[in-house]
Amino acid sequence: MRGRCCHYPGRMRPLAESMAALREIVATPAVSALAAAFQAEGHEFALVGGPVRDALLGYPVSDLDFTTSASPDETRAVVEGLTKQIWDVGREFGTIAAKVHGETVEITTYRADTYRDDSRKPDVAFGDSIEGDLVRRDFTINALALLLPEMRLVDVSGGVEDLLARRITTPGSPETSFTDDPLRMLRAARFASQLGFTVEPEVQAAMYEFSSRLEIISAERIRDELVKLLSTDDPVPGIRLLVETGLAELFLPELTALLETQDDHGRHKDVYEHSLTVLRQAIELELERREPSTAGPDVVLRLASLLHDIGKPATRRFERGGVTFHHHDVVGAKLAKKRLRELRFDNDTIKRVARLVELHLRFFGYSDQQWTDSAVRRYVRDAGEELERLHILTRADVTTRNRRKAERLQHAYDDIERRIDELAEAEELAAVRPELDGEQIMAVLGLPPGPEVGRAYKFLLELRLDEGPIGEEAAAERLRAWFADGSG
């Protein structure tokens, strides 16, 4: 319908413009048909939450959420008169989804549910008024509804005023709100970054007080909120809020552990602040280098940037008046794997993030002694599909205030990228393989399939990386000599 961009204007547009934007949404075939159908059956029907907020802020609206006085069965009966594409996936929570005139919509019966102290799921109770439904929502800026088709804005808790003031607060007490649904605490952090708004002090205090309540929320829901936060233009304000309120300690303790490496004596840089700076710089480079066809933020890169130094607390040593973090890249990769598994990330994401964390130090030292072509080939081989992300992460990892050092590192990485491009053009470097495949190896050496063929393949790969392409005939000759020498 209307494409979602990454940037929020953040300031509420004039009311006349806002209402014009809302009328544009209401005039679409899907919304006008739904509004007329629910009105004909005597049910209240309203556009609610995020779409109303975004329209008031001048942000393109993509997801359409509606609320109604109709029960789920009544909602389904109304929608069946408009489309056959209906899903009951959220029926137990009062939500019916459908595709109407090409638009995917969700329609939820007025709600009044709460969480029990020991439950990850709410006790579902349906409400009887739009006002009651709005009061139970997470934040005042989302507790906004536009009743249709009459186009009446319902704001029961000062949401419009809070949009104007650029603040995040709850319709009722934050203590009640976060007790009802603890995930709202993570959403507060996400909206702080997404909108550039300030979370009110009493809300922050409640986040700190009720942080342990997050333990009843499933890892999957926490993961999804973390991904949404990292997908904003600037996740740092939200991340700071999560750390300061103690929430991050519950699901990302490796991040808060970086605070332990802060050094008041100036023996090394602040690893926590450094990590946040790297994340910001990586996002800037990501956006600069992103292909036009790329869809959405690079969550793998952003996770790796945030977590790249989480191995430092465990490896910090004080030696000869200084501080070392030997092997923090390897330790960090293991910690990243463990944490992302516990947050139920998919295996591909876990593998990619861990590989970037493991490799993020590999480049440093190139500026002191230029690598051989063989070393450059190995760098590309080891990075594999993560090479472009590794380029960005390594550049973003330079946060020194020493201008001369920063420029030297930038020039060094410019040089290695140039050499990679030159070698790639000459050798098809991105797909470095031995010049003989398994079948050819068996033919040259007269071997059946088995471990010896694998060892021969590895020998030829090392030869390829060390010397570049030498041709199949020379490769076969070197292979025979290696095998005759007993190395196989």
Side-chain angles (χ1 to χ4, degrees), residues 355-375:
R355 191 63 173 150
L356 287 167
V357 173
E358 183 180 359
L359 293 176
H360 82 273
L361 286 181
R362 184 73 64 87
F363 161 76
F364 294 97
Y366 178 87
S367 58
D368 299 323
Q369 182 176 2
Q370 195 175 69
W371 291 350
T372 62
D373 285 352
S374 173

Side-chain angles (χ1 to χ4, degrees), residues 54-68:
D54 290 350
L56 292 174
L57 287 173
Y59 189 75
V61 174
S62 60
D63 301 320
L64 296 178
D65 294 327
F66 299 94
T67 189
T68 180

Side-chain angles (χ1 to χ4, degrees), residues 1-13 17-18 21-22 24-25 50-64 163 190-191 193-195 197 231-233 297:
M1 181 177 168
R2 280 159 282 272
R4 182 175 289 276
C5 62
C6 295
H7 178 64
Y8 258 85
R11 296 190 181 277
M12 186 170 164
R13 59 169 70 169
E17 291 183 22
S18 298
L22 287 168
E24 180 186 341
I25 296 171
V52 180
R53 178 200 68 220
D54 290 350
L56 292 174
L57 287 173
Y59 189 75
V61 174
S62 60
D63 301 320
L64 296 178
L163 284 177
R190 192 236 301 178
F191 284 125
S193 281
Q194 184 174 309
L195 300 172
F197 283 16
S231 298
T232 63
D233 280 356

